[in-house]
Amino acid sequence: MSAAPQSRTDAEPDAQPEGEPEGRPEGDSGAGPATAPARPARSAMRSLALALLLGASGAGLALLASGRTWAQGNAVLAQGELPRTVTGADVTGVPGALAVVGLAALVAVFAVRRAGRIAVAALLALSGLGVAVAAALGNSDTSALREKASDAVGMAGADVHHVTHTVWPWVGACGGLLLLLAGVLALVFGRYWPAMSGRYERTPGGARGPRRAPAPPDLDRPEEIWKSLDRGEDPTR
């Protein structure tokens, strides 16, 4: 006689539905991991756009301010007074020169990578800081105005009265601060920014990439057949 079938005491767990991965909690659609990498990308693009805007605006303001009148006064003459004015370039050429350096560094950020990008970003920040400091110091500098007064009266050490300063030195200082902020953004977020394409870069060791195979000759054109024969190729292959 055969033994009676033994009844099962433990309930079997429900079979896993086909196509449903194991271990996923209910209600989890799996959208989290797919959207997570998009957040750093969006933040990088926003910081890139902001840095470009700040850098270009800062360099533009610094260059604009360098060509404007920073101070004016009256040179004292025997017959009266002669009004004299000086521009930012007359007072100091540092803001204009560093603004050009900062603008070049802003463009060069995309041409380098890794340590080179950090170095260029630091140069951008230092250029902005130098523009701001030089423009702020130039606001109270009267040496250029006295020099122009001396040239006007024809003797050294001429006195200048009624000296007034314009707002343009502070505009240049604001441009330097914008360049400084662009440099800070490049230092913090620059590693996430895109770089120039490496399509034309050499491979390691200085060797060029593989060349493309020449196109097969057109057998309907006799000149192509003769060119292939001159190169030692068989055009019928």
Side-chain angles (χ1 to χ4, degrees):
M1 295 179 62
S2 60
Q6 185 177 0
S7 61
R8 298 176 60 182
T9 58
D10 297 334
E12 294 182 358
D14 296 339
Q16 185 75 17
E18 186 177 356
E20 182 72 15
E22 298 180 4
R24 177 181 292 179
E26 296 182 1
D28 187 5
S29 60
T35 58
R39 293 180 180 177
R42 286 197 298 267
S43 299
M45 295 309 296
R46 289 174 183 172
S47 62
L48 171 59
L50 182 58
L52 288 175
L53 178 62
L54 292 176
S57 301
L61 285 177
L63 291 173
L64 177 65
S66 296
R68 300 295 179 175
T69 300
W70 281 24
Q72 55 191 3
N74 296 328
V76 179
L77 301 175
Q79 297 83 6
E81 296 183 348
L82 181 65
R84 298 280 87 183
T85 61
V86 290
T87 64
D90 296 329
V91 176
T92 173
V94 174
L98 289 182
V100 175
V101 172
L103 193 59
L106 182 64
V107 177
V109 165
F110 304 99
V112 293
R113 301 177 182 176
R114 300 182 181 88
R117 178 167 290 186
I118 296 176
V120 173
L123 177 62
L124 174 60
L126 291 176
S127 299
L129 181 61
V131 170
V133 172
L137 293 177
N139 180 66
S140 58
D141 189 1
T142 59
S143 58
L145 191 60
R146 294 180 183 278
E147 183 177 352
K148 278 203 170 184
S150 298
D151 294 340
V153 300
M155 70 178 175
D159 198 7
V160 181
H161 292 171
H162 309 295
V163 177
T164 58
H165 297 274
T166 66
V167 73
W168 286 108
W170 299 114
V171 173
C174 290
L177 292 178
L178 293 180
L179 278 172
L180 175 60
L181 290 177
V184 172
L185 285 175
L187 285 172
V188 176
F189 299 101
R191 61 182 180 273
Y192 302 115
W193 294 352
M196 288 184 179
S197 174
R199 178 180 178 184
Y200 301 103
E201 293 181 357
R202 290 175 176 264
T203 56
R208 294 182 180 272
R211 296 183 178 180
R212 295 183 178 179
D218 187 1
L219 299 180
D220 294 334
R221 302 179 61 185
E223 62 272 16
E224 293 292 334
I225 298 176
W226 285 111
K227 290 179 180 179
S228 300
L229 292 175
D230 291 339
R231 292 193 300 266
E233 300 174 356
D234 185 2
T236 61
R237 289 188 300 175

